[in-house]
């Protein structure tokens, strides 16, 4: 069974971000990179128009539990902190993500602001800017209109393919590096998006995108133009908004939102395999399958709690609480990070 080996808490130096910007309900302003020897990790934080990086030590520590078996974090040492130079946005950054680029020692960081302006930069294996690749893409309407939450995700097969969601515009823009391929138009305001693994398509192309819009989960196939590319629309209860969507390597798709329920869908029939009802005290705004055990899922509530549990048995394994509401949440290679 999955178990926590350590839990650390690092304080962001006040001099690094003197006036942090407020976050959105969707916690998408944090990205985590564990260095090769697992002795430290790099945390990328978006605030205002900038992205900041702090390097945190991952020295061995003992897991401490409090009441109700809640994990108690141990204070971690911040090795260094800095500002990332390659993200010159002009409006507030809404999302930051990392993806593996070409080669073993290459990473790609994507950031998108409230008007849909996408900037992609290439980093080395320790998260330092190497300047080998950097490009920016404006939306087709040049970002005219009112700003809103925006999200970005990279294809798990081809990092050069990226999808950018803009809430108020009700649109999903697909890019191949700086080339705009197509736009998908949603019926409701998108709140989360994720490329699905190549196992769903059968050809390894990873050309399917899952989008949470309103109370619906919609599936879009980039290979077809029929019905605007929408191949499946799963409607939830009216008023129960979906805020988070993620997929496992096996193809299972998880969604969660205001109904405080995690639903796991089978992509072969798009029917619910499991429903974990009332697993969170408040609305669910973040989800991630465990990379080491796909039967486990990390669940982030809108308040200050994160829990890990087995979705088949609806059983909680461990949980912990922060000091205030979350601004960022990410799980990667058995590690997960959060920001308050």
């Amino acid at each position: 069974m999955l178990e926590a080996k350590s839990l650390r808490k690092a304080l962001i130096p006040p001099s690094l971000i003197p006036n942090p910007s407020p976050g959105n309900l969707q916690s998408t302003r944090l990205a985590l990179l564990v260095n090769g020897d697992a002795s430290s990790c790099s945390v990328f934080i978006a605030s205002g128009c900038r992205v900041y990086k702090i390097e945190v030590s991952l020295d061995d520590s003992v897991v401490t539990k409090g009441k109700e078996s809640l994990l108690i974090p141990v204070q971690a040492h911040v090795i260094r902190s800095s500002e990332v130079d390659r993200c010159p946005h002009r409006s507030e950054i809404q999302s930051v993500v990392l993806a593996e680029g070409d080669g073993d020692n290459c990473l790609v960081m994507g950031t998108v602001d409230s008007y849909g302006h996408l900037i992609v930069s290439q980093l080395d294996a320790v998260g330092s800017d190497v300047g080998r690749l950097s490009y920016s893409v404006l939306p087709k309407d040049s970002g005219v209109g009112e700003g809103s939450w925006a999200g970005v995700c990279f294809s798990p097969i081809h990092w050069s393919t990226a999808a950018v969601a803009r809430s108020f515009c009700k649109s999903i823009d697909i890019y191949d590096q700086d080339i705009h391929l197509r736009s998908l138009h949603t019926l409701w305001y998108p709140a989360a998006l994720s490329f699905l693994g190549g196992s769903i398509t059968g050809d390894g192309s990873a050309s399917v995108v899952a989008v949470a819009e309103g109370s619906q989960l919609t599936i879009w196939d980039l290979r077809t133009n029929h019905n605007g590319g929408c191949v499946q629309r799963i409607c939830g209860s009216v008023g129960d908004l979906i805020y988070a969507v993620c997929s496992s390597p096996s193809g299972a798709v998880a969604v969660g939102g205001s109904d405080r329920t995690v639903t796991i869908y089978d992509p072969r029939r798009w029917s619910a395999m499991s429903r974990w009802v009332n697993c969170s005290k408040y609305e669910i705004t973040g989800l991630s399958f465990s990379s080491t055990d796909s039967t486990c899922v990390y669940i982030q509530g809108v308040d200050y709690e994160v829990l890990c549990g087995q979705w088949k048995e609806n059983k909680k394994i461990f949980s912990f609480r922060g000091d205030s509401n979350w601004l960022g949440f990410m799980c990667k290679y058995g590690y997960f990070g959060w920001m308050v």
Side-chain angles (χ1 to χ4, degrees), residues 268-280:
R268 294 170 297 181
R269 297 182 298 271
W270 292 115
S271 59
M273 293 191 298
S274 174
R275 290 177 61 85
W276 191 353
V277 181
N278 298 333
C279 57
S280 175

Side-chain angles (χ1 to χ4, degrees), residues 4-28:
K5 292 185 177 180
S6 65
L7 180 63
R8 299 173 179 85
K9 175 182 178 181
L11 296 179
I12 301 173
S15 59
L16 181 66
I17 312 177
N19 298 302
S21 62
N24 202 291
L25 185 65
Q26 293 93 329
S27 307
T28 53

Side-chain angles (χ1 to χ4, degrees), residues 6-10 61-62 64-65 70-76 320-323 338:
S6 65
L7 180 63
R8 299 173 179 85
K9 175 182 178 181
S61 62
V62 179
T64 306
K65 294 184 179 181
L70 287 174
L71 303 182
I72 300 176
V74 177
Q75 196 69 36
F320 65 92
R321 294 172 181 172
D323 300 326
W338 72 98

Side-chain angles (χ1 to χ4, degrees), residues 32 34 41-42 63 66 90 141 143 214 249 263 321 334-335:
L32 175 70
V34 179
C41 68
S42 298
V63 176
R90 295 185 178 181
D141 60 4
T263 305
R321 294 172 181 172
Y335 296 83

Side-chain angles (χ1 to χ4, degrees), residues 1-3 199 246-254 262-265 273-274 276 287-299 308-315 317 331 333-334:
M1 179 183 293
L2 198 68
E3 63 178 359
S199 59
C246 69
S247 64
S248 70
S250 62
V253 179
V262 174
T263 305
I264 311 295
Y265 289 101
M273 293 191 298
S274 174
W276 191 353
L287 286 173
S288 179
F289 281 100
S290 170
S291 57
T292 57
D293 186 354
S294 60
T295 64
C296 297
V297 62
Y298 293 99
I299 303 169
C308 175
Q310 295 176 316
W311 54 266
K312 290 183 178 180
E313 292 78 11
N314 295 352
K315 178 182 178 182
I317 301 176
C331 178
Y333 302 130

Side-chain angles (χ1 to χ4, degrees), residues 26-328:
Q26 293 93 329
S27 307
T28 53
R29 299 191 182 188
L30 178 143
L32 175 70
L33 168 65
V34 179
N35 298 333
D37 57 358
S39 62
S40 63
C41 68
S42 298
V43 183
F44 295 86
I45 303 167
S47 180
C49 302
R50 299 291 181 181
V51 174
Y52 304 89
K53 172 191 171 185
I54 62 173
E55 189 173 345
V56 181
S57 173
L58 294 179
D59 295 332
D60 293 336
S61 62
V62 179
V63 176
T64 306
K65 294 184 179 181
K67 294 181 179 179
E68 300 177 357
S69 298
L70 287 174
L71 303 182
I72 300 176
V74 177
Q75 196 69 36
H77 172 63
V78 176
I79 301 174
R80 63 180 63 90
S81 61
S82 61
E83 178 182 324
V84 180
D85 296 330
R86 302 298 290 273
C87 305
H89 286 275
R90 295 185 178 181
S91 61
E92 188 178 44
I93 297 174
Q94 297 296 314
S95 298
V96 53
V97 296
L98 290 175
E100 295 181 359
D102 297 329
D104 297 333
N105 298 319
C106 176
L107 293 168
V108 177
M109 181 174 68
T111 56
V112 62
D113 62 26
S114 57
Y115 291 94
H117 182 197
L118 172 67
I119 296 180
V120 177
S121 304
Q122 196 165 12
L123 311 173
D124 62 15
V126 294
S128 300
D129 182 15
V130 294
R132 287 182 289 182
L133 174 71
S134 182
Y135 60 87
S136 63
V137 185
L138 286 172
K140 292 188 67 177
D141 60 4
S142 300
V144 177
E146 186 176 358
S148 62
W149 176 85
V152 58
C153 65
F154 290 106
S155 166
I157 305 299
H158 306 289
W159 67 265
S160 59
T161 303
V164 175
R166 290 190 291 161
S167 181
F168 283 179
C169 295
K170 298 180 181 179
S171 68
I172 311 292
D173 294 312
I174 309 299
Y175 299 98
D176 183 3
Q177 291 196 12
D178 58 349
I179 301 175
H180 182 270
L181 298 180
R182 64 181 299 181
S183 294
L184 311 174
H185 301 285
T186 61
L187 296 179
W188 302 97
Y189 300 114
L193 76 165
S194 175
F195 273 99
L196 305 186
S199 59
I200 294 179
T201 60
D203 57 3
S205 61
S207 58
V208 179
V209 182
V211 179
E213 47 170 301
S215 59
Q216 301 178 0
L217 170 66
T218 53
I219 308 300
W220 305 78
D221 194 334
L222 306 183
R223 300 168 298 179
T224 180
N225 290 320
H226 178 68
N227 198 25
C230 183
V231 296
Q232 189 71 38
R233 186 175 295 272
I234 305 171
C235 299
S237 301
V238 177
D240 289 338
L241 303 180
I242 300 175
Y243 296 131
V245 59
C246 69
S247 64
S248 70
S250 62
V253 179
V255 298
S258 61
D259 61 353
R260 302 182 292 121
T261 298
V262 174
T263 305
I264 311 295
Y265 289 101
D266 182 353
R268 294 170 297 181
R269 297 182 298 271
W270 292 115
S271 59
M273 293 191 298
S274 174
R275 290 177 61 85
W276 191 353
V277 181
N278 298 333
C279 57
S280 175
K281 185 177 180 180
Y282 295 104
E283 294 92 334
I284 297 172
T285 54
L287 286 173
S288 179
F289 281 100
S290 170
S291 57
T292 57
D293 186 354
S294 60
T295 64
C296 297
V297 62
Y298 293 99
I299 303 169
Q300 173 224 331
V302 73
D303 54 345
Y304 50 80
E305 184 175 12
V306 168
L307 64 94
C308 175
Q310 295 176 316
W311 54 266
K312 290 183 178 180
E313 292 78 11
N314 295 352
K315 178 182 178 182
K316 182 169 70 172
I317 301 176
F318 62 83
S319 65
F320 65 92
R321 294 172 181 172
D323 300 326
S324 59
N325 292 359
W326 306 112
L327 296 181

